[in-house]
Amino acid sequence: MPTYIHREMADMHLIYGMAKCNGREALRMYCAEYPGRQLPSRSFFATLHRRMCETGSFNVHKLDTGRQRTTRTVDAEDRVLQELERNPSTSTRVVARDTHIPQATVWRIAHDEGLYPYHLQRIQALELGDYNKHMDFARWFLHESNADRNFAASVLFTDEATFSLEEGLNGSVYLTFLQEVLPEMLNDVPMPIRQRIRFQHDGAPAHFSIDVRAHLQATFPGGWIGRGGPIAWPA
């Protein structure tokens, strides 16, 4: 369990400045300068710097609210940060158990460092029939590419990761995008290229609405890729 005297923390803060606030470089420099000392985590340098900026001291100051609380020390912060750095996928409950620090204190330390717990949720999964669908789509794509070496360049698609919609995505909003926004985006595309476009999107619920599919069939007759389309999207 690391315990640092004020001189050690002052040296850490000085080296952090010499390293231009780079925690990894500060740790390397500190290790080289003081090889016999207990080494902190690289994020601990930033913790000390933040503490000095906020309180003017290396010690943690908390307002007295009249309620007894576990003392939060710089050592406790370092122990928590070392655990989180050693295993980023751990939980505040496990860190609290291993460090003997209350879970609420662990959570506050992580929060102050800009670290937030999350739960991984798997919302998509492959099903037994998906393999054959993927193979069929891949064979079709290869066939078209062999027949036309520029085929891949004619497929228009987006992963929707580079823009956002304030009102959220549903069938009505997506249809408005297809009818009003997409044509403007294609204004500068030469007509011969536009006539060869194969529009592609995935199987999101908004993409599967009846009005959306009807519009795509009218705009790209027989030439669009998606769930429920003439060329099925295999997912």
Side-chain angles (χ1 to χ4, degrees):
M1 183 181 302
T3 300
Y4 305 110
I5 62 176
H6 282 83
R7 178 54 186 269
E8 290 174 327
M9 290 187 285
D11 291 337
M12 292 178 196
H13 190 242
L14 177 62
I15 285 182
Y16 187 60
M18 295 170 61
K20 298 181 179 180
C21 298
N22 184 313
R24 190 182 299 274
E25 178 63 14
L27 180 59
R28 186 194 67 78
M29 293 173 61
Y30 187 80
C31 180
E33 184 70 20
Y34 306 104
R37 288 185 179 180
Q38 170 72 43
L39 296 180
S41 64
R42 64 174 182 265
S43 57
F44 187 60
F45 293 90
T47 298
L48 285 179
H49 180 68
R50 175 175 53 80
R51 190 70 62 200
M52 283 292 294
C53 292
E54 293 177 355
T55 69
S57 170
F58 291 128
N59 296 322
V60 180
H61 298 285
K62 291 292 182 180
L63 295 176
D64 184 4
T65 61
R67 182 177 61 180
Q68 184 176 4
R69 298 177 64 176
T70 301
T71 302
R72 174 175 165 181
T73 64
V74 174
D75 291 341
E77 289 188 353
D78 188 39
R79 286 155 55 197
V80 170
L81 294 176
Q82 282 187 344
E83 286 295 317
L84 295 175
E85 187 174 303
R86 182 178 62 83
N87 183 10
S89 63
T90 189
S91 67
T92 55
R93 178 181 59 81
V94 172
V95 173
R97 182 197 65 198
D98 293 344
T99 60
H100 304 290
I101 296 173
Q103 186 175 2
T105 302
V106 171
W107 191 94
R108 284 194 295 270
I109 292 173
H111 183 272
D112 288 347
E113 292 299 315
L115 304 174
Y116 300 93
Y118 68 93
H119 296 284
L120 180 64
Q121 292 181 320
R122 297 180 179 179
I123 58 175
Q124 294 180 336
L126 293 176
E127 298 180 352
L128 292 178
D130 288 338
Y131 178 80
N132 290 333
K133 295 178 182 178
H134 292 173
M135 290 297 296
D136 290 342
F137 182 81
R139 292 190 183 99
W140 170 81
F141 200 96
L142 287 174
H143 178 271
E144 296 296 318
S145 298
N146 289 332
D148 178 4
R149 64 179 183 177
N150 295 318
F151 171 74
S154 68
V155 178
L156 175 64
F157 71 95
T158 174
D159 61 4
E160 300 173 2
T162 56
F163 63 89
S164 60
L165 299 171
E166 294 182 357
E167 53 188 315
L169 182 64
N170 54 40
S172 177
V173 172
Y174 188 56
L175 180 61
T176 300
F177 167 78
L178 294 175
Q179 293 175 330
E180 301 178 8
V181 180
L182 183 60
E184 293 184 5
M185 297 174 66
L186 297 177
N187 276 340
D188 295 333
V189 178
M191 184 56 65
I193 296 179
R194 293 174 62 176
Q195 292 175 340
R196 297 179 60 251
I197 284 179
R198 295 290 187 103
F199 183 84
Q200 174 181 314
H201 61 190
D202 60 24
H207 301 170
F208 190 61
S209 75
I210 294 176
D211 291 339
V212 165
R213 284 181 284 155
H215 172 76
L216 290 175
Q217 187 59 30
T219 307
F220 306 98
W224 61 279
I225 304 167
R227 184 158 65 106
I231 305 166
W233 173 250

